[in-house]
Amino acid sequence: MPAGGCRSLDGSCLGLPKLDERLLRFPGLPSRVLRGRRAVTIALASWRWDHDSLTSNGSCWRTLGCAITGLRRAARVSARGNILHGALVEQEIVATGRGPGMLEFNDLKPVHTELAEELKAALERVLDSGWFVLGPEVETFEQEFASYHGVRHAVAVASGTDAIELALRAAGIGPGDEVITVAHTAVATVCAIERAGAKPVLVDIDPNTYTMHPSAAAAAITARTRAMIPVHLYGHPANLDAFIALTERHGLLLIEDCAQAHGARWNGRLVGTFGAMGCFSFYPTKNLAALGDGGAIITRDAHLAERLRRLRNYGQVERYHHEERGINSRLDEIQAACLRVKLAHLDDHNAARRTIAEDYDHHLRGVVIPQEHGPVTHVYHLYVVRHRDRDLLSRRLRQKGIGTLVHYPVPIHRQPAYADLDYGPGSLPHTERAAAEVLSLPLYVGLRSADVLNVAEAIYRSLREAA
Ligand SMILES: Cc1ncc(COP(=O)(O)O)c(C=O)c1O
């Protein structure tokens, strides 16, 4: 199946076998489906005529659209390839509106359906207020977010990237300084360090947790090192005991990248509260998610908080008076109002994520499942398995209608954009091996047990086919 979907219903463009016109004689097809009969034919012709065909070619269904999406669940195909019955097709189309058997990597609809009334009320409140940027909703969200973490200050900004950049700038870290972090992270972590003017120093991960390895970080400390930014990747806290000890011993600043770990805990205490500052992203797929971009920094330090508030608003102390050079990184009222709604459900939603993860742990066979190391409460922003034939597995899952993603396929030190950082191949071996083997499975609030079982079965079958 060509990447990026296919607009045309031409079988050749989909790379499918010759159309099988016999299928058009399928007696149960209702008129609605017959109107899209060419599409149906293409889709069906692409199936292999065995029992597995019922769960294969999901991406074909997605591409060909709603007119045929109901067919797969309704049709039953015998071992010899005869369609046995399909009378439920039309109801299926109307009822599901999506390809049966199709499982997207992420789906934000269930959570927004659950919270629809609360979100609508929040949006209405903002509309009625007539205040749209850095207003009462932002202020209240900041108080609620700080209080959730048991700290005095939260400063809301426009993104997680800005949160890290501004945290560094507020601490006076910039040109000439080195900041230690990992290459196995979203590029934003490194991008933010460079935007602050500092030099990112990339170190290897602990292959069990995919987070910064304390001894790798220790080995990278130089006279120029000013800070360490461990990333609580996938929702699993980095080894905070080790990083607190390390940064205290060397007089360094600890800044936590919590973009993937809202509500995660180390030793029962929330991440973000261990370092001088904790930086969060509220990108729509995060555990605490806005309906657009957003971010925040939490801190106990009143001076840092005050400086962060200035820096996010052009360095302004009062209107049109600029004490230092800042940027525009303000959270808007709509995002803050929605974040307030979702913050109240964060712990429940994280509990739901953990239950789904346990379900996966229980059913998966043939892949390395995620591990929890240390006194952690993992919040499963991502459920990441590992397999040496990751690319083949992900292709086969796609053929079976299951969306997966890779976080992240090319570590930052091997990205062309960062070639000048000058890390050769093999310089971060655990990072590079993880990049080649990790695979993120569907996990979102609203994912059903049956979906987890389907994914587990599809993985089992894919690996058997590949053997
Ligand atoms: C680990 C990590 N750090 C930082 C960020 C940056 O957040 P944002 O996309 O809100 O700028 C992200 C977001 O993807 C992230 O996953």
Side-chain angles (χ1 to χ4, degrees):
M1 184 63 57
C6 181
R7 285 193 189 87
S8 153
L9 295 183
D10 175 351
S12 62
C13 132
L14 292 167
L16 299 177
K18 193 167 171 288
L19 303 188
D20 185 345
E21 291 296 324
R22 282 174 312 163
L23 295 170
L24 295 180
R25 286 186 244 113
F26 170 41
L29 279 179
S31 57
R32 179 168 171 169
V33 172
L34 280 175
R35 274 204 294 280
R37 65 185 198 153
R38 188 164 166 71
V40 172
T41 311
I42 291 167
L44 292 179
S46 71
W47 289 1
R48 280 182 304 115
W49 297 116
D50 60 23
H51 181 264
D52 279 1
S53 62
L54 281 170
T55 48
S56 69
N57 274 304
S59 49
C60 181
W61 286 109
R62 184 188 306 128
T63 307
L64 296 177
C66 188
I68 55 167
T69 53
L71 181 62
R72 190 159 141 219
R73 185 175 287 166
R76 294 287 176 268
V77 182
S78 76
R80 292 208 314 279
N82 301 317
I83 296 171
L84 301 180
H85 54 87
L88 295 174
V89 173
E90 192 140 23
Q91 289 96 305
E92 285 282 332
I93 292 167
V94 172
T96 65
R98 67 167 199 167
M102 278 307 309
L103 184 61
E104 301 295 343
F105 172 71
N106 200 352
D107 186 354
L108 302 178
K109 282 194 287 297
V111 87
H112 291 139
T113 305
E114 174 200 334
L115 303 179
E117 291 313 311
E118 288 179 73
L119 288 169
K120 279 183 203 156
L123 293 172
E124 237 172 73
R125 210 166 55 228
V126 174
L127 274 180
D128 290 347
S129 79
W131 197 332
F132 296 105
V133 174
L134 288 190
E137 295 290 340
V138 170
E139 211 169 291
T140 313
F141 170 67
E142 288 178 336
Q143 284 158 11
E144 290 170 354
F145 198 57
S147 132
Y148 173 82
H149 287 94
V151 298
R152 294 283 289 275
H153 311 280
V155 179
V157 294
S159 72
T161 313
D162 286 359
I164 299 170
E165 176 193 341
L166 293 179
L168 290 166
R169 290 183 59 178
I173 294 172
D177 298 329
E178 291 179 359
V179 176
I180 296 173
T181 191
V182 284
H184 189 63
T185 178
V187 75
T189 314
V190 172
C191 171
I193 294 170
E194 290 199 327
R195 266 185 24 198
K199 180 182 171 200
V201 174
L202 306 177
V203 301
D204 216 347
I205 51 166
D206 173 342
N208 295 310
T209 63
Y210 306 107
T211 61
M212 188 151 78
H213 202 302
S215 40
I221 297 173
T222 70
R224 290 176 182 268
T225 308
R226 293 284 313 280
M228 281 189 186
I229 308 187
V231 181
H232 305 308
L233 202 73
Y234 307 152
H236 187 298
N239 183 342
L240 283 162
D241 289 347
F243 289 113
I244 288 165
L246 199 55
T247 48
E248 280 179 359
R249 193 173 333 129
H250 293 273
L252 306 174
L253 200 73
L254 177 61
I255 296 176
E256 297 171 68
D257 183 339
C258 310
Q260 301 192 2
H262 316 70
R265 289 170 189 266
W266 175 265
N267 253 329
R269 187 167 131 195
L270 286 163
V271 301
T273 63
F274 290 82
M277 287 171 275
C279 301
F280 294 83
S281 162
F282 303 128
Y283 183 75
T285 58
K286 302 300 189 201
N287 288 33
L288 178 59
L291 303 184
D293 275 313
I297 305 109
I298 58 170
T299 182
R300 293 194 162 79
D301 186 319
H303 294 294
L304 284 175
E306 193 189 321
R307 189 158 188 210
L308 285 165
R309 286 183 204 288
R310 261 200 322 269
L311 287 171
R312 76 171 168 188
N313 198 17
Y314 314 124
Q316 194 163 278
V317 273
E318 59 184 278
R319 188 171 289 205
Y320 309 137
H321 291 268
H322 305 268
E323 206 158 84
E324 61 179 325
R325 291 180 184 164
I327 59 173
N328 173 355
S329 182
R330 301 175 299 218
L331 188 68
D332 66 67
E333 288 285 283
I334 285 179
Q335 301 312 336
C338 293
L339 285 165
R340 290 183 59 202
V341 169
K342 292 197 181 176
L343 179 59
H345 297 272
L346 176 61
D347 289 342
D348 286 348
H349 286 165
N350 279 341
R353 286 176 180 275
R354 287 181 59 80
T355 303
I356 295 167
E358 275 167 27
D359 230 4
Y360 269 130
D361 289 349
H362 183 69
H363 291 299
L364 285 173
R365 298 285 177 272
V367 290
V368 178
I369 60 173
Q371 301 168 41
E372 298 186 6
H373 273 268
V376 299
T377 307
H378 192 328
V379 290
Y380 291 94
H381 171 59
L382 296 168
Y383 187 90
V384 178
V385 299
R386 223 176 149 131
H387 193 273
R388 64 179 186 287
D389 284 330
R390 186 268 316 283
D391 291 338
L392 179 65
L393 177 59
S394 100
R395 269 201 309 278
R396 288 194 186 255
L397 289 174
R398 173 142 296 283
Q399 285 162 0
K400 291 174 173 33
I402 290 164
T404 58
L405 283 179
V406 174
H407 299 88
Y408 297 88
V410 183
I412 294 167
H413 70 294
R414 304 301 303 148
Q415 295 277 1
Y418 292 89
D420 61 335
L421 293 181
D422 219 12
Y423 293 81
S427 53
L428 304 176
H430 292 307
T431 296
E432 287 161 46
R433 193 163 160 218
E437 295 185 352
V438 293
L439 185 67
S440 308
L441 304 183
L443 192 161
Y444 49 83
V445 175
L447 187 76
R448 300 162 311 162
S449 262
D451 296 325
V452 171
L453 200 57
N454 280 343
V455 175
E457 275 174 12
I459 286 178
Y460 180 73
R461 278 193 288 117
S462 298
L463 296 176
R464 222 182 38 184
E465 287 160 16

